[in-house]
Amino acid sequence: VLIPVLGDQYGNELERGQLKLVFDLDNGVFSIFYHEHRFPVDASEYPRILGYQIDKLEQKLGASNEDFLELQSISTAFGHLPGRSGLSPEQSAERNREKEVQKRRLAALASKSEEIREFLIANVEAFNGKPGDPRSFDLLHELIKAQAYRLAQWRVAADDINYRRFFDINDLAALRMENDAVFDATHRLILELVAEGKVDGLRIDHPDGLYDPAKYLHELYNKLATGVEGPQKHAYLIVEKILTGNEHLRRDWPVDGTTGYEFANAVNGLFVDQNSVKKMERIYRAFTGNSMDLADLVYQCKKLILKVSLASELNVLANLLGHIALSNRHTCDFTLNSLRSALAEIIASFPVYRTYVNSNEVSDEDRSYVERALSAARRRSDTADLSVFDFIRHVLLVQVNGADSETSQRAVVRFAMKFQQVTAAVMAKGLEDTAFYRYNRLVSLNEVGGNPGKFGISVEEFHRANQQRGDDWPHSTLATSTHDSKRSEDVRARINVLSEIPSVWRRNVGRWRDWNRGKKATVDDEIAPSRNDEYLLYQTLVGTWPGENSRDEEWATYTDRIEQYMLKSAREAKEYTRWANADSQYERALSAFVHSTLDRSEPNPFLEDFAGFHRRINRIGALNSLSQCLLKLTCPGVPDIYQGNELFEFALVDPDNRRPVDYHRRSQLLHKLRNENPSGTKIDFETPDPDPTNPSLKLYITWKTLQVRNTEKPLFEAGSYLALAVTGQKAEHVVAFAREHQGRTAIIAVPRLCATFLGEDFESVGDEKLWENTRIEIPNSCAACFHNAFSGECTPVEAHERRSLPVAKMLLAFPVALMLSDS
C-alpha cells in the first residue's frame, strides 16, 4: 500500500534521519515514525532487528544464558508466523494471536534484563543510521522495504496511488461496501442506534463514489427496515445525489429523496433576472478579458484533474481495459496509451456525474449518457484510430459476446462499474472544485448541483419542479445552505441582485477597478491578482459586506476571512497557484490587494463608494432571503435549516461556513419574539411594514411557519401543490401557490426581482401603489377570507372576473405572506 506522506523524496528523508525506528519497551512493539505518523513493523520482520549483532550479545552473556535463549526463542517464534498474504480467517486469527503473545514475551524480557534492553536500544540506534553517512541507513531501508506499505513523497500519489481514496485525499482510504463483511462491520453501530430509537434517519453522502449504489442502498434499506418497530416501515433515508441537467433520481433507489441541492439551485434561480444574461456576460468579458465557453472550460478542468489529481485512477482504468483488449484478437492491437487517451476524452466529456450499470442490463438513460460522451470525445480526439472508441463503447455498454468466457464477461462488467466511480470523482473535482472557481460571471450560480450556464429559472419552471417533487419524492429534503455550500443562502441572495441592475453594476465595478489598479503587483511580468480574481472579490464583498459601522476588531476579522477565502479560491482555480504547488509571489500579491482594498486606516474612496452602493443591495438581498426562506418552509418536501441560518448568515465555503454559531444570541431573539407574541397571532414590529434587514425577521418567519406546519400537518405533509396564476402589471414579480388538503388551504406569496420596481430610495414592498392591479387568482373552492400567519390580518377574497387576492393587501404589513383559509 502506497503511503504518500513524506515531504521530500523517500531517499532524502531517510538519509536526513527523518524516518526513525522506535522500540516501545512497555509493549514489546517496534514502529517506524515519521514526525507524528507511526507505522507498524511487520512482526514477522522483527528477527531482522532482534538478530542484528546477536553474536556480540552471545559473547557477552554466553550461549546458555537464560535471557539470551529466551531472546532467540522469541526471534524464532516471530520468524515462524504465518505470512501476510493468502491467509484464511483462521490463519489470520492465529497470526494475530501469536504475534501479541511474542510481543508480551519481548516486553517482559526487556523489562527483566538490562543487558537485553541495552542490546535492543543499541540495535535501534544502529538501524536509524547517522545523517551524513548514507550507507548507515541501509539497515533501516531494507526493513522498510520488507513492510506491507511503501513510504513515498506525497507528490507520488497523483500517479501511483494503489488504493481508492476520497477524491484525491490520500488519508481517506475507501472502504469496499460491496463486500458483505465490510458492510456489516462498518454499519453495525449505526444500525444498533436506529434499532434503539436513538437515530431517526440517515443522510448518505457521496453515494456516487460507491461501486454499486443501488445494491448498497437496498442492503441498507433492508437492514434499517428489520431494525425499526411500529408503523414506520423504515428510517428516514436521503442521499446526497447531485442531479445534472434533466437527470432524475433513480426510481429504483429505496430512499426518501435527496439532500436538496436541486431545490437550493431552483429557489436561488428565481431571484436571478433572466433578461440580463447577455448584459452580465458582456460585463464579465469586458472586465476580465475572459471569453471561454463554460462547457469548454469544464472540459478543460476535467482534463486537468485527470492529469494532475486523479491520474492514478485513470491508470488503473487503462490497465483494466488493456487486459480486456488483449483477450480478443480484434482488439489486442490497441495500445495502453491509446486506451488511456481515449478514456480521458470520454471521462472529460461525460455529461453527468455517473451512470449506474451493474450487470449486463443498461438502462436507456445510461445508454444515452454514454453515447453523448462518446460522441463528444470522438470530436475532440486527435487519435489516428477512432475505432478505439467503438471498442470502449461496447465495454461501457457491457455488450458482451455470448461466446466470451465467463471470466471475460465479468471483467467487462467490473470495468464498466469502476469507470462510473471515476467519472463521478472527476466531475466533482473538475466542475465544483475547479471550474466553479474560474467562471465568475455571476458567482451566486456557482453552487453544488448548480449550472452557472443556466442564468436563473422562470416561475413556471419552479412550479413544475415543485409539482414533480410532490408527486415523486414528497419527503425529499429542501435545502438552501449545507456544509458544502460555496456560499450561504443569504450571500447568494445579495449577489443575485446584481442581475437586476447590470448597468449600475458595470459603472461601479469599472470605477472600483480604476481606483484599485495601483494596489496590484507584478508577478512574472503579469499584473497580480488577475482581473478574474478581482471580479470575484467584488462579488464576494457584495455578498458578505458587514456594514461600514463594524468595530475595528470585527473589520479585521472580516478582512482576514476575505483574504483566506480568496486564497482558497485561487488555489482551487489552479490557474496561478494551487494547493499542491503554491505560488507564494502570486498569493502575497493577492493577500496584499485584499488588505489594501479593505484598508480603512486611511482615506479609502473605494470603501465609502462601495458602502453607498451596498445599502440598496442589502435591502433587496434581504427581501430575497425572506422570500426563499418561506418558500423552503412551504414547498413539497422536508425543509432543512443549516446551523446558524435561522438568522441572516453571510458565510462563504468551508471552513468559513463552519465557524462556531452564536446559539445564545439566537435563543435570546427567539425568546424575545415569543414574549412579544404571547397570543401566537402576530408580532408588533416597530413599523407596519418592517425593515427587511431586521435580523429577527428571518427567525420570525421560520418560527411562525414551523408553528403552522405543526398545527396543519396534513396540509403540508400530504397536501397537493397548486401553482396560482398572477395577473396585473407586476405579475412577474410574484411567486404564488397553494397547498390544499381536505378543504383546508394555505396560500403562499413572495416577491421576487424587487430591484427592478423598487426605487433607488427603496420604497416599501408594502406600498399599495407599487403593486397597482396585481392579483393572485385562487380556486373557487377556497374560503371567503384568509388570514396572514405573520401579521394576523384577514384579507377577504375579492370577486372580479375571477376570485382573487390583491397582492398589495397581502404584503401590506409584512414582506411575505402565508395565508390560511378560515375554517
Side-chain angles (χ1 to χ4, degrees):
V1 178
L2 183 73
I3 308 293
V5 297
L6 306 182
D8 197 355
Q9 292 182 2
Y10 165 77
N12 294 336
E13 294 288 62
L14 177 72
E15 293 176 8
R16 289 192 192 109
Q18 298 299 314
L19 295 166
K20 294 185 180 298
L21 178 65
V22 174
F23 179 58
D24 180 351
L25 288 167
D26 295 330
N27 297 292
V29 173
F30 288 102
S31 304
I32 295 168
F33 275 81
Y34 177 71
H35 300 300
E36 74 277 13
H37 301 290
R38 184 188 75 84
F39 303 100
V41 172
D42 183 350
S44 61
E45 297 296 333
Y46 279 24
R48 287 177 181 265
I49 307 166
L50 302 180
Y52 182 66
Q53 296 185 343
I54 192 72
D55 54 333
K56 293 183 179 179
L57 182 65
E58 180 181 7
Q59 292 175 6
K60 182 177 181 180
L61 297 179
S64 60
N65 178 271
E66 179 182 337
D67 294 335
F68 177 75
L69 292 174
E70 173 68 357
L71 180 64
Q72 284 188 311
S73 174
I74 294 171
S75 181
T76 301
F78 277 126
H80 285 85
L81 289 172
R84 288 195 301 258
S85 60
L87 297 183
S88 66
E90 294 76 19
Q91 290 173 316
S92 180
E94 177 191 350
R95 174 186 167 90
N96 289 332
R97 182 176 59 252
E98 184 63 22
K99 70 186 174 83
E100 294 306 318
V101 170
Q102 301 311 321
K103 288 176 182 178
R104 287 195 294 270
R105 288 179 65 191
L106 183 60
L109 179 61
S111 176
K112 169 190 172 186
S113 171
E114 182 178 353
E115 290 84 358
I116 297 296
R117 185 165 59 251
E118 290 176 350
F119 170 74
L120 295 175
I121 293 172
N123 281 3
V124 166
E125 184 177 353
F127 269 71
N128 281 329
K130 296 180 180 179
D133 181 5
R135 295 300 300 273
S136 68
F137 291 95
D138 289 352
L139 290 171
L140 184 57
H141 172 59
E142 292 301 323
L143 178 65
I144 292 173
K145 280 175 58 179
Q147 303 310 308
Y149 50 83
R150 171 192 162 201
L151 298 176
Q153 185 184 27
W154 62 271
R155 296 180 189 276
V156 172
D159 292 326
D160 289 350
I161 201 79
N162 58 0
Y163 58 89
R164 289 197 63 246
R165 305 165 289 172
F166 180 76
F167 298 114
D168 56 350
I169 303 176
N170 301 326
D171 290 354
L172 296 179
L175 299 176
R176 298 183 63 231
M177 289 303 158
E178 64 272 19
N179 182 302
D180 292 340
V182 174
F183 181 97
D184 291 339
T186 54
H187 289 73
R188 185 173 297 114
L189 174 61
I190 192 65
L191 290 173
E192 288 175 359
L193 295 175
V194 171
E196 293 168 4
K198 296 176 180 177
V199 171
D200 298 314
L202 301 178
R203 167 192 168 115
I204 308 302
D205 276 13
H206 305 284
D208 280 346
L210 293 166
Y211 184 67
D212 189 347
K215 178 185 175 184
Y216 169 83
L217 292 169
H218 278 283
E219 182 73 15
L220 181 59
Y221 176 88
N222 292 334
K223 292 290 177 67
L224 289 170
T226 58
V228 177
E229 297 180 358
Q232 185 181 12
K233 292 184 179 180
H234 63 86
Y236 185 59
L237 186 61
I238 54 174
V239 289
E240 188 193 30
K241 169 59 187 168
I242 296 175
L243 302 170
T244 304
N246 296 321
E247 186 182 13
H248 299 289
L249 186 62
R250 300 293 166 121
R251 295 296 304 168
D252 62 333
W253 286 10
V255 299
D256 291 291
T258 73
T259 55
Y261 291 135
E262 64 277 6
F263 176 82
N265 286 285
V267 74
N268 180 72
L270 275 177
F271 303 95
V272 174
D273 189 350
Q274 292 180 291
N275 295 319
S276 65
V277 58
K278 292 183 179 179
K279 291 180 181 178
M280 292 297 287
E281 178 73 15
R282 286 197 296 270
I283 295 169
Y284 178 49
R285 292 192 177 198
F287 189 99
T288 64
N290 187 343
S291 60
M292 178 171 288
D293 176 75
L294 177 61
D296 290 336
L297 174 62
V298 172
Y299 164 77
Q300 288 191 8
C301 290
K302 291 168 76 174
K303 287 292 289 287
L304 175 65
I305 293 300
L306 283 167
K307 178 181 178 181
V308 176
S309 302
L310 300 178
S312 58
E313 282 75 3
L314 179 60
N315 288 339
V316 169
L317 283 182
N319 283 315
L320 289 174
L321 188 60
H323 289 306
I324 296 172
L326 286 172
S327 67
N328 188 294
R329 72 182 73 171
H330 299 292
T331 59
C332 60
D333 282 347
F334 290 131
T335 66
L336 185 62
N337 185 57
S338 68
L339 294 172
R340 191 179 189 280
S341 176
L343 283 172
E345 291 294 341
I346 296 168
I347 293 170
S349 302
F350 222 75
V352 292
Y353 278 71
R354 63 167 287 170
T355 49
Y356 297 95
V357 174
N358 59 9
S359 66
N360 292 349
E361 298 294 327
V362 181
S363 69
D364 291 340
E365 187 175 2
D366 285 342
R367 185 181 301 276
S368 172
Y369 295 140
V370 170
E371 296 287 10
R372 284 170 57 186
L374 283 161
S375 178
R378 278 177 176 271
R379 292 195 304 270
R380 288 173 167 142
S381 176
D382 56 4
T383 185
D385 185 1
L386 292 176
S387 66
V388 68
F389 290 100
D390 297 324
F391 164 61
I392 297 177
R393 177 182 180 276
H394 284 289
V395 176
L396 292 180
L397 297 177
V398 290
Q399 294 175 339
V400 293
N401 190 322
D404 291 343
S405 68
E406 185 176 339
T407 301
S408 297
Q409 294 180 21
R410 283 200 303 267
V412 168
V413 173
R414 180 169 179 263
F415 173 83
M417 294 178 72
K418 292 189 74 67
F419 172 87
Q420 296 170 145
Q421 292 178 288
V422 175
T423 62
V426 173
M427 176 71 92
K429 296 299 293 181
L431 177 65
E432 296 173 36
D433 292 344
T434 307
F436 277 7
Y437 289 93
R438 292 187 181 187
Y439 188 75
N440 297 325
R441 182 176 66 179
L442 186 69
V443 294
S444 54
L445 298 174
N446 297 16
E447 194 49 78
V448 179
N451 176 11
K454 184 175 175 56
F455 204 82
I457 71 168
S458 66
V459 175
E460 290 73 21
E461 287 180 274
F462 183 70
H463 284 319
R464 284 197 298 271
N466 286 332
Q467 288 167 334
Q468 186 173 46
R469 186 186 323 106
D471 293 339
D472 298 339
W473 303 99
H475 304 300
S476 193
T477 300
L478 307 180
T480 41
S481 292
T482 75
H483 65 289
D484 279 333
S485 293
K486 304 297 185 185
R487 296 163 186 84
S488 70
E489 59 204 60
D490 300 314
V491 171
R492 297 194 303 271
R494 282 177 168 182
I495 296 173
N496 286 339
V497 179
L498 301 179
S499 71
E500 300 184 67
I501 53 171
S503 298
V504 176
W505 171 243
R506 176 181 55 79
R507 291 195 300 271
N508 279 275
V509 79
R511 185 166 62 251
W512 301 334
R513 175 192 57 204
D514 295 339
W515 282 344
N516 294 327
R517 182 175 287 121
K519 299 171 183 176
K520 293 190 173 187
T522 301
V523 176
D524 294 333
D525 298 326
E526 293 188 11
I527 301 298
S530 71
R531 288 178 289 175
N532 197 34
D533 281 347
E534 183 181 4
Y535 199 71
L536 171 63
L537 173 62
Y538 295 141
Q539 290 185 74
T540 302
L541 297 180
V542 166
T544 60
W545 190 254
E548 60 268 34
N549 296 323
S550 301
R551 297 192 303 272
D552 287 347
E553 60 271 21
E554 293 174 334
W555 190 258
T557 298
Y558 175 70
T559 301
D560 289 341
R561 285 176 55 209
I562 298 301
E563 177 197 10
Q564 292 306 311
Y565 170 74
M566 291 301 298
L567 287 172
K568 173 169 182 170
S569 297
R571 290 170 182 167
E572 295 285 12
K574 307 172 188 66
E575 290 186 290
Y576 303 99
T577 186
R578 58 185 64 180
W579 295 107
N581 293 293
D583 186 322
S584 58
Q585 286 186 292
Y586 185 86
E587 293 190 358
R588 280 196 298 270
L590 179 57
S591 294
F593 184 75
V594 170
H595 279 273
S596 59
T597 298
L598 297 179
D599 182 13
R600 62 180 194 180
S601 64
E602 55 187 34
N604 188 340
F606 165 73
L607 290 181
E608 183 177 351
D609 191 68
F610 190 92
F613 166 79
H614 195 267
R615 291 187 191 103
R616 186 182 182 200
I617 294 286
N618 187 31
R619 294 175 70 86
I620 303 296
L623 281 175
N624 290 348
S625 289
L626 300 180
S627 291
Q628 74 175 350
C629 178
L630 180 58
L631 292 174
K632 176 177 70 175
L633 295 170
T634 54
C635 285
V638 180
D640 176 50
I641 302 169
Y642 182 63
Q643 54 188 13
N645 284 269
E646 300 86 0
L647 301 180
F648 293 123
E649 180 68 19
F650 304 105
L652 297 164
V653 74
D654 68 281
D656 194 63
N657 66 358
R658 302 181 194 185
R659 290 171 292 133
V661 176
D662 188 348
Y663 288 114
H664 179 67
R665 177 172 180 244
R666 285 156 177 78
S667 296
Q668 285 184 316
L669 289 174
L670 182 58
H671 181 71
K672 181 180 178 183
L673 289 175
R674 284 173 169 163
N675 287 343
E676 293 178 356
N677 185 232
S679 65
T681 56
K682 63 177 292 186
I683 187 166
D684 185 20
F685 285 102
E686 295 178 359
T687 60
D689 179 25
D691 179 357
T693 63
N694 183 331
S696 294
L697 253 64
K698 190 177 180 185
L699 180 61
Y700 179 66
I701 290 172
T702 302
W703 170 51
K704 293 296 293 184
T705 307
L706 291 179
Q707 281 187 316
V708 171
R709 287 185 65 104
N710 192 44
T711 57
E712 302 280 354
K713 286 185 178 180
L715 185 61
F716 289 95
E717 291 182 1
S720 61
Y721 179 93
L722 178 64
L724 298 179
V726 184
T727 61
Q729 291 186 313
K730 300 296 190 303
E732 66 174 330
H733 297 286
V734 181
V735 182
F737 59 88
R739 303 296 304 274
E740 292 184 314
H741 184 72
Q742 296 181 350
R744 195 76 169 121
T745 304
I747 291 179
I748 294 89
V750 302
R752 67 186 283 261
L753 305 181
C754 297
T756 57
F757 71 93
L758 292 178
E760 289 283 347
D761 297 328
F762 193 90
E763 302 151 270
S764 169
V765 73
D767 188 340
E768 293 188 73
K769 295 179 181 178
L770 283 176
W771 295 105
E772 300 183 71
N773 62 343
T774 308
R775 316 179 70 82
I776 298 173
E777 296 182 356
I778 63 172
N780 292 329
S781 59
C782 287
C785 189
F786 286 80
H787 72 270
N788 193 319
F790 303 127
S791 67
E793 297 180 349
C794 183
T795 302
V797 175
E798 298 181 359
H800 293 271
E801 295 181 2
R802 293 188 177 184
R803 301 178 81 237
S804 63
L805 290 171
V807 173
K809 291 184 179 180
M810 295 174 70
L811 303 181
L812 180 62
F814 202 77
V816 296
L818 170 55
M819 315 290 288
L820 295 168
S821 61
D822 287 348
S823 302

